[in-house]
Amino acid sequence: MSELPVFHATTILCVRKNGQTAMGGDGQVSLGNTIMKAGARKVRRLEGKNIIAGFAGSAADAFTLFELFEKKVDQYRSQLSRAAVELAREWRTDRMLRRLEALLIVADSEESFLISGTGDVIAPDDGILAIGSGGNYALAAARALVHNTDMDAKTVVECSMKIAADICVFTNNNLTLEVL
C-alpha cells in the first residue's frame, strides 16, 4: 500500500507598516514533486469589506474556513478580532471543523491575526505574519526588510515573496497581492 503524496499549497505573507497593510500569496499548488497549478489565488479581499484573508493548507478546508470567517465577520459587524476569536473557538470545538487542515491570516487596516484549528489567534508583535511551506523564508526576509529599509508594506511583501520563491520549491513567483 503506497502513501498518497502530500499537497504543499502555498506561501502567504502579511506585513503591516506605517499605516499600510499588504498581504501576498504565491500561486503554486504541488502534489508530491509535481506542480499541479501555478496560478491559484489564495489571498482574497472580503466582498464589501476592508478585510483581506490568505490561507494555506488543504484547499477544500481553506475555502470552508474562509466562508465561515466571512460569516463571522458579518455576524460581528466587521469586528476583526471578535470574528477571529469566534472562528477559532468554533473551529476547535466543532467535531467536523476540528478535522480541517489549514491556517488563515486575516487583516484589516488596524489588526492582523493568524488563526489555527487548535484555537490559536496570534497577533504579531512586529506586524508580520507568514504561513505555508515557504512561510519561514518570507517571514525572515520581511523582518529584515521592515527593520532595515524604508520600503512600504507592499514593497516588502513583493520582495520577500520573491526571496521565498527563489528558495522554496513549493513557492512560485505568481503573486496575488492585496493592499489596505
Side-chain angles (χ1 to χ4, degrees), residues 136-150:
N136 287 335
Y137 305 117
L139 180 67
R143 284 189 173 154
L145 293 170
V146 162
H147 299 297
N148 295 299
T149 71
D150 291 330

Side-chain angles (χ1 to χ4, degrees), residues 46 64-77 83:
L46 272 66
T64 299
L65 291 168
F66 185 79
E67 289 173 8
L68 184 56
F69 177 69
E70 277 189 297
K71 290 177 185 173
K72 295 293 181 191
V73 167
D74 289 339
Q75 181 180 355
Y76 295 105
R77 297 184 184 110

